[in-house]
Amino acid sequence: MPKLLVVDDQPLFIQTMHEIFRDQYEIFMARNGEQALAQAGRLCPDLILLDLNMPDISGMEVCQRLKQNPALADIPVLFVTAEEDFESESLALEAGGADYITKPVNPAVVRARVRTHLTLKAQADQLRALAYLDGLTGVANRRYFDQHLDAEWARSQRHHMPLSLILLDIDFFKTYNDHLGHIAGDQCLKAVAGALQALPKRGHDFVARYGGEEFVVLLADCDLPCALRKAAALQEAVAQLAIQHPASTVSELVTISLGVASTVAGAAHTAGELLDAADRQLYAAKQAGRNRISPAADHAGTAGSTPP
């Protein structure tokens, strides 16, 4: 059920909106601008009905601040106000508002406008999702991974929480393609991606196709022992697929090699270093014979490698 956030300093108006929408949507409320920003960050609502004039922060400023936050910028904001002049309407729309409704509201009109903007948002969300998915496997693509890594790196820095990354590769995938053909290769990639995605996930676990036969798993709030347990589960999930690999020299079945790196993000280091550390360990796993997990972690909290 879509979530609506109603922001107004008048309890009667909030009650009116609740009566209009309670059978169709989840309704949340805020009585001022600060509450609105906090609720938006916590709930990530599908649409916000926002009063223009409030005692602490104006609706205009609330809207501007929402639009400056990448995580909230796509939420449509419908201004609902007693101000009927064209200048206020123009400024509200320039601030990022999707619509401008004057009080007292007509229930049929406000229902129609909310429904229209929710439909437009759903369509836009679907298009964005398609742009971030790998066309073959259906998991996130490299572009989305790059954005997600930057966001999780910043979160790790802010909260001093561990961040781990697993880079994995299907062993001898070129020879698999050479022996069985590219159609079978595509089916193998889809099956492996499905197995990686199907594993039980915590809230911030993220799987993406990194390129070719490589996949990446980003694990927020997960230290090295946690990441190694996840890597072992991924390895077992692929083994359970029992896909025959006639050209492999390590197994009769399709297997994967995994490089694991873990860190707590620091100002002196970058997300790219964490990725490089996992890449080095993936190379080490291949050099050691494939079908194995190779870990890296710097106990000082950076993404460098330490000997086993």
Side-chain angles (χ1 to χ4, degrees):
M1 183 179 289
K3 293 180 287 190
L4 266 58
L5 176 60
V6 181
V7 185
D8 201 290
D9 60 341
Q10 299 297 320
L12 181 59
F13 178 78
I14 291 175
Q15 181 62 34
T16 300
M17 292 298 100
H18 185 270
E19 290 297 321
I20 291 173
F21 293 116
R22 65 180 179 180
D23 294 332
Q24 298 171 281
Y25 312 116
E26 284 188 87
I27 312 298
F28 300 88
M29 58 161 279
R31 295 283 301 275
N32 57 54
E34 289 291 356
Q35 286 182 11
L37 293 168
Q39 286 278 67
R42 184 176 66 85
L43 299 167
C44 199
D46 297 286
L47 184 142
I48 298 173
L49 292 161
L50 179 62
D51 188 18
L52 192 61
N53 297 314
M54 290 183 293
D56 60 341
I57 304 174
S58 72
M60 205 85 71
E61 184 179 344
V62 170
C63 184
Q64 289 169 338
R65 287 167 63 174
L66 289 169
K67 298 305 172 184
Q68 289 166 4
N69 184 335
L72 306 175
D74 296 321
I75 301 171
V77 175
L78 278 61
F79 282 101
V80 186
T81 177
E83 302 289 340
E84 297 188 50
D85 60 287
F86 292 122
E87 183 179 0
S88 295
E89 182 174 357
S90 176
L91 289 172
L93 297 176
E94 287 176 10
D99 209 338
Y100 191 92
I101 304 169
T102 55
K103 297 177 181 177
V105 298
N106 179 303
V109 170
V110 75
R111 278 197 203 97
R113 293 197 184 185
V114 165
R115 186 167 55 247
T116 295
H117 287 289
L118 285 173
T119 300
L120 292 172
K121 182 179 184 296
Q123 292 170 345
D125 287 347
Q126 188 174 23
L127 288 172
R128 275 191 294 272
L130 289 172
Y132 287 137
L133 292 181
D134 176 62
L136 175 65
T137 64
V139 299
N141 60 21
R142 173 71 179 274
R143 175 186 176 192
Y144 193 14
F145 165 73
D146 288 341
Q147 292 183 14
H148 199 74
L149 176 59
D150 288 341
E152 289 298 345
W153 184 266
R155 200 168 77 90
S156 174
Q157 253 184 331
R158 260 193 329 270
H159 301 293
H160 307 289
M161 301 298 287
L163 181 65
S164 296
L165 191 148
I166 302 170
L167 197 59
L168 63 96
D169 187 284
I170 300 175
D171 294 324
F172 302 110
F173 187 71
K174 183 180 184 304
T175 56
Y176 184 93
N177 267 341
D178 291 343
H179 277 74
L180 300 177
H182 289 284
I183 293 176
D186 286 350
Q187 292 301 318
C188 176
L189 286 169
K190 287 193 277 190
V192 169
L196 303 180
Q197 190 81 300
L199 275 179
K201 291 185 284 293
R202 302 163 314 126
H204 296 287
D205 291 0
F206 181 85
V207 177
R209 187 180 179 192
Y210 193 67
E213 66 272 25
E214 284 189 337
F215 294 87
V216 63
V217 182
L218 189 61
L219 304 168
D221 194 13
C222 179
D223 59 10
L224 185 62
C226 167
L228 288 174
R229 289 192 297 271
K230 185 74 173 186
L234 294 170
Q235 190 178 38
E236 178 62 21
V238 172
Q240 288 296 320
L241 293 172
I243 302 172
Q244 294 293 316
H245 192 331
S248 173
T249 60
V250 297
S251 172
E252 294 179 350
L253 304 176
V254 166
T255 59
I256 56 176
S257 298
L258 307 94
V260 184
S262 185
T263 191
V264 174
H269 301 277
T270 66
E273 290 178 82
L274 179 64
L275 186 57
D276 288 344
D279 190 44
R280 288 194 298 272
Q281 295 308 123
L282 174 57
Y283 180 78
K286 291 180 180 180
Q287 289 295 102
R290 292 182 165 85
N291 189 25
R292 64 190 63 217
I293 300 164
S294 181
D298 181 333
H299 299 293
T302 62
S305 172
T306 56

